[in-house]
Amino acid sequence: PLGTGGYHGKAKKQTYSPQFSSQFIPLREYVVFDSGKPNEMKKKLFEFNNQVDGPVDENLLEQLTEAICNPTTHSLPPNYSQALLSLLSWPSDKMVPVLDLFRFIVRHKDALNLIIDNEEGNLLFSQILSFSGKNNTDPQRMLTMRFLANLFPSVQSRHLIYKHMAIVLSSIEGSNLLNSSPARVAFASLLQNFCVESTILQKAPFDLKVTLLQQIITFLLSEKDESIIFQISVALGTLVCNFF
Protein backbone atom coordinates (compact mmCIF):
# COMPACT_ATOMS: atom_id res chain seq x y z
CA PRO A 1 0.00 0.00 0.00
CA LEU A 2 1.06 3.56 -0.56
CA GLY A 3 2.92 5.02 2.37
CA THR A 4 4.38 1.74 3.69
CA GLY A 5 6.76 1.06 0.85
CA GLY A 6 4.07 0.35 -1.75
CA TYR A 7 5.41 0.42 -5.27
CA HIS A 8 8.40 2.56 -4.28
CA GLY A 9 11.95 1.27 -4.69
CA LYS A 10 14.39 0.81 -1.88
CA ALA A 11 17.59 2.79 -1.58
CA LYS A 12 20.77 1.56 -3.15
CA LYS A 13 23.27 1.77 -0.34
CA GLN A 14 26.04 -0.06 1.38
CA THR A 15 25.13 -3.22 3.26
CA TYR A 16 26.01 -2.47 6.84
CA SER A 17 27.43 -5.06 9.17
CA PRO A 18 25.79 -5.11 12.57
CA GLN A 19 29.23 -4.81 14.11
CA PHE A 20 30.85 -1.39 13.72
CA SER A 21 34.05 -1.14 11.70
CA SER A 22 36.09 1.93 10.80
CA GLN A 23 35.90 0.88 7.15
CA PHE A 24 32.53 2.68 7.03
CA ILE A 25 33.91 6.08 7.99
CA PRO A 26 34.16 8.33 6.15
CA LEU A 27 31.51 7.39 3.63
CA ARG A 28 32.28 8.44 0.06
CA GLU A 29 29.23 7.21 -1.83
CA TYR A 30 25.79 8.76 -2.09
CA VAL A 31 22.56 6.93 -1.40
CA VAL A 32 20.22 6.98 -4.39
CA PHE A 33 16.61 5.88 -4.85
CA ASP A 34 16.39 5.11 -8.56
CA SER A 35 14.73 1.70 -8.53
CA GLY A 36 11.05 0.95 -8.19
CA LYS A 37 7.94 -0.15 -10.03
CA PRO A 38 7.29 2.49 -12.72
CA ASN A 39 4.38 0.59 -14.25
CA GLU A 40 2.39 0.86 -11.03
CA MET A 41 3.30 4.53 -10.77
CA LYS A 42 2.11 5.12 -14.34
CA LYS A 43 -1.14 3.27 -13.63
CA LYS A 44 -1.85 5.60 -10.70
CA LEU A 45 -0.93 8.68 -12.73
CA PHE A 46 -3.42 7.80 -15.46
CA GLU A 47 -6.08 6.87 -12.91
CA PHE A 48 -5.74 10.20 -11.10
CA ASN A 49 -5.43 12.13 -14.36
CA ASN A 50 -9.00 11.09 -15.16
CA GLN A 51 -10.21 12.40 -11.80
CA VAL A 52 -8.77 15.94 -11.77
CA ASP A 53 -9.85 19.19 -13.35
CA GLY A 54 -7.71 20.16 -16.34
CA PRO A 55 -6.10 16.76 -16.92
CA VAL A 56 -2.89 16.36 -18.89
CA ASP A 57 -3.38 15.09 -22.43
CA GLU A 58 -3.11 11.30 -22.22
CA ASN A 59 -0.76 10.99 -25.20
CA LEU A 60 1.52 13.61 -23.66
CA LEU A 61 1.39 11.89 -20.27
CA GLU A 62 2.23 8.55 -21.90
CA GLN A 63 5.23 10.01 -23.72
CA LEU A 64 6.37 11.86 -20.60
CA THR A 65 6.27 8.86 -18.29
CA GLU A 66 7.91 6.59 -20.87
CA ALA A 67 10.76 9.06 -21.39
CA ILE A 68 11.41 9.59 -17.67
CA CYS A 69 11.25 5.88 -16.82
CA ASN A 70 13.23 4.79 -19.90
CA PRO A 71 15.69 7.64 -20.58
CA THR A 72 17.99 5.61 -22.85
CA THR A 73 15.25 4.67 -25.31
CA HIS A 74 12.72 7.53 -25.20
CA SER A 75 12.95 11.28 -25.69
CA LEU A 76 10.94 13.87 -23.80
CA PRO A 77 7.90 15.18 -25.70
CA PRO A 78 7.40 18.87 -26.56
CA ASN A 79 5.79 20.92 -23.79
CA TYR A 80 6.85 18.42 -21.17
CA SER A 81 7.69 21.21 -18.71
CA GLN A 82 4.10 22.46 -18.77
CA ALA A 83 2.88 18.91 -18.23
CA LEU A 84 5.11 18.58 -15.16
CA LEU A 85 3.78 21.85 -13.76
CA SER A 86 0.23 20.66 -14.35
CA LEU A 87 0.91 17.44 -12.44
CA LEU A 88 2.23 19.42 -9.48
CA SER A 89 -1.04 21.37 -9.37
CA TRP A 90 -3.06 18.24 -8.60
CA PRO A 91 -4.87 17.95 -5.24
CA SER A 92 -2.65 16.93 -2.34
CA ASP A 93 -4.27 13.49 -1.96
CA LYS A 94 -3.17 12.59 -5.51
CA MET A 95 0.45 13.70 -5.26
CA VAL A 96 2.19 10.45 -4.34
CA PRO A 97 2.65 9.08 -7.90
CA VAL A 98 3.54 12.60 -9.11
CA LEU A 99 6.31 12.91 -6.52
CA ASP A 100 7.46 9.41 -7.38
CA LEU A 101 7.73 10.48 -11.02
CA PHE A 102 10.01 13.33 -9.94
CA ARG A 103 12.14 10.84 -8.05
CA PHE A 104 12.76 9.16 -11.39
CA ILE A 105 13.26 12.42 -13.26
CA VAL A 106 16.85 12.73 -12.12
CA ARG A 107 17.64 9.78 -14.37
CA HIS A 108 16.82 11.85 -17.47
CA LYS A 109 19.45 14.44 -18.33
CA ASP A 110 17.17 16.83 -20.25
CA ALA A 111 14.46 16.78 -17.59
CA LEU A 112 17.06 17.31 -14.90
CA ASN A 113 18.49 20.27 -16.82
CA LEU A 114 15.03 21.84 -16.84
CA ILE A 115 14.97 21.82 -13.04
CA ILE A 116 18.53 23.12 -12.79
CA ASP A 117 18.78 25.81 -15.42
CA ASN A 118 15.84 28.20 -15.57
CA GLU A 119 13.04 30.01 -13.78
CA GLU A 120 10.50 27.36 -14.69
CA GLY A 121 12.77 24.78 -13.08
CA ASN A 122 13.03 26.86 -9.92
CA LEU A 123 9.25 26.88 -9.73
CA LEU A 124 9.14 23.10 -10.09
CA PHE A 125 11.78 22.67 -7.42
CA SER A 126 9.97 24.98 -4.98
CA GLN A 127 6.67 23.19 -5.54
CA ILE A 128 8.25 19.80 -4.89
CA LEU A 129 9.86 21.09 -1.68
CA SER A 130 6.46 22.26 -0.47
CA PHE A 131 5.55 18.59 0.11
CA SER A 132 8.37 17.98 2.59
CA GLY A 133 6.92 19.98 5.49
CA LYS A 134 5.29 18.84 8.71
CA ASN A 135 1.76 19.37 7.37
CA ASN A 136 2.24 16.79 4.61
CA THR A 137 1.80 13.03 4.79
CA ASP A 138 4.69 10.64 5.42
CA PRO A 139 4.57 9.28 1.82
CA GLN A 140 4.75 12.81 0.40
CA ARG A 141 7.63 13.78 2.67
CA MET A 142 9.42 10.51 2.00
CA LEU A 143 9.26 10.91 -1.78
CA THR A 144 10.37 14.54 -1.58
CA MET A 145 13.44 13.52 0.42
CA ARG A 146 14.14 10.68 -1.99
CA PHE A 147 14.00 13.20 -4.82
CA LEU A 148 16.48 15.46 -2.97
CA ALA A 149 18.78 12.54 -2.18
CA ASN A 150 18.84 11.64 -5.87
CA LEU A 151 20.15 15.10 -6.77
CA PHE A 152 23.51 14.55 -5.09
CA PRO A 153 25.39 12.34 -7.60
CA SER A 154 25.21 15.06 -10.30
CA VAL A 155 27.42 18.11 -9.80
CA GLN A 156 24.87 20.33 -11.55
CA SER A 157 21.88 19.16 -9.51
CA ARG A 158 23.90 19.30 -6.32
CA HIS A 159 24.37 22.99 -7.04
CA LEU A 160 20.59 23.34 -7.01
CA ILE A 161 20.46 22.06 -3.44
CA TYR A 162 23.09 24.55 -2.33
CA LYS A 163 21.28 27.32 -4.16
CA HIS A 164 18.15 26.61 -2.10
CA MET A 165 19.98 25.38 1.01
CA ALA A 166 18.04 27.44 3.56
CA ILE A 167 14.70 26.29 2.15
CA VAL A 168 15.81 22.65 1.96
CA LEU A 169 17.04 22.54 5.56
CA SER A 170 13.96 24.36 6.80
CA SER A 171 11.66 22.00 4.93
CA ILE A 172 13.14 18.83 6.45
CA GLU A 173 13.21 20.16 10.01
CA GLY A 174 11.33 17.85 12.34
CA SER A 175 11.60 14.88 9.98
CA ASN A 176 12.92 12.77 12.88
CA LEU A 177 9.26 12.57 13.98
CA LEU A 178 8.13 10.79 10.81
CA ASN A 179 5.98 7.76 11.62
CA SER A 180 6.88 5.29 8.87
CA SER A 181 10.21 3.52 8.67
CA PRO A 182 10.63 4.13 4.88
CA ALA A 183 10.17 7.86 5.47
CA ARG A 184 12.76 7.91 8.27
CA VAL A 185 15.17 5.96 6.07
CA ALA A 186 14.71 8.61 3.36
CA PHE A 187 15.45 11.33 5.90
CA ALA A 188 18.53 9.48 7.18
CA SER A 189 19.72 8.97 3.61
CA LEU A 190 19.33 12.65 2.79
CA LEU A 191 21.32 13.65 5.87
CA GLN A 192 23.90 11.02 4.95
CA ASN A 193 24.30 12.49 1.47
CA PHE A 194 24.82 15.94 2.97
CA CYS A 195 27.53 14.50 5.22
CA VAL A 196 29.22 12.68 2.34
CA GLU A 197 29.14 15.87 0.31
CA SER A 198 30.75 17.84 3.14
CA THR A 199 33.58 15.28 3.26
CA ILE A 200 34.13 15.04 -0.50
CA LEU A 201 33.78 18.74 -1.19
CA GLN A 202 35.69 19.74 1.98
CA LYS A 203 34.41 23.27 1.50
CA ALA A 204 30.93 22.94 2.95
CA PRO A 205 29.94 26.06 4.91
CA PHE A 206 30.53 25.70 8.65
CA ASP A 207 26.97 26.78 9.46
CA LEU A 208 25.70 23.95 7.23
CA LYS A 209 27.80 21.44 9.16
CA VAL A 210 26.46 22.76 12.46
CA THR A 211 22.88 22.45 11.18
CA LEU A 212 23.54 18.89 10.03
CA LEU A 213 25.04 18.05 13.40
CA GLN A 214 21.95 19.39 15.17
CA GLN A 215 19.62 17.44 12.85
CA ILE A 216 21.58 14.20 13.37
CA ILE A 217 21.72 14.49 17.16
CA THR A 218 17.98 15.21 17.32
CA PHE A 219 17.36 12.22 15.06
CA LEU A 220 19.52 9.88 17.15
CA LEU A 221 17.77 10.88 20.36
CA SER A 222 14.36 9.85 19.00
CA GLU A 223 15.16 6.90 16.69
CA LYS A 224 14.57 3.31 17.86
CA ASP A 225 15.35 1.30 14.71
CA GLU A 226 18.88 -0.11 15.06
CA SER A 227 19.61 -0.16 11.32
CA ILE A 228 18.60 3.51 10.96
CA ILE A 229 20.62 4.41 14.06
CA PHE A 230 23.64 2.72 12.51
CA GLN A 231 23.16 4.54 9.19
CA ILE A 232 22.86 7.96 10.80
CA SER A 233 25.76 7.23 13.20
CA VAL A 234 28.02 6.49 10.24
CA ALA A 235 26.83 9.73 8.65
CA LEU A 236 27.75 11.54 11.88
CA GLY A 237 31.20 9.97 11.84
CA THR A 238 31.62 11.07 8.24
CA LEU A 239 30.61 14.62 9.11
CA VAL A 240 33.00 15.02 12.03
CA CYS A 241 35.92 13.60 10.02
CA ASN A 242 36.15 16.95 8.30
CA PHE A 243 34.20 19.26 10.59
CA PHE A 244 36.72 22.08 11.01
Side-chain angles (χ1 to χ4, degrees), residues 109-183:
K109 183 178 178 181
D110 290 339
L112 186 57
N113 286 339
L114 166 70
I115 296 177
I116 294 169
D117 287 340
N118 57 44
E119 187 174 332
E120 203 169 45
N122 287 334
L123 178 59
L124 284 168
F125 187 77
S126 297
Q127 286 187 265
I128 295 169
L129 274 185
S130 71
F131 291 97
S132 63
K134 298 176 184 179
N135 294 328
N136 298 102
T137 66
D138 272 19
Q140 291 170 345
R141 299 177 74 185
M142 173 189 71
L143 289 168
T144 302
M145 287 186 282
R146 286 182 174 185
F147 163 78
L148 291 170
N150 283 1
L151 294 177
F152 276 88
S154 164
V155 174
Q156 292 83 359
S157 55
R158 215 156 49 231
H159 173 72
L160 184 67
I161 291 181
Y162 278 100
K163 181 179 178 182
H164 299 277
M165 181 63 68
I167 300 174
V168 172
L169 292 176
S170 175
S171 70
I172 64 174
E173 186 177 353
S175 294
N176 58 297
L177 300 177
L178 289 160
N179 293 314
S180 72
S181 178

Side-chain angles (χ1 to χ4, degrees), residues 228-241:
I228 298 177
I229 290 172
F230 189 89
Q231 180 184 6
I232 202 65
S233 297
V234 173
L236 174 60
T238 299
L239 177 65
V240 300
C241 276

Side-chain angles (χ1 to χ4, degrees), residues 99-114:
L99 293 171
D100 207 21
L101 180 68
F102 276 92
R103 176 176 65 89
F104 281 105
I105 208 171
V106 294
R107 298 166 58 182
H108 200 293
K109 183 178 178 181
D110 290 339
L112 186 57
N113 286 339
L114 166 70

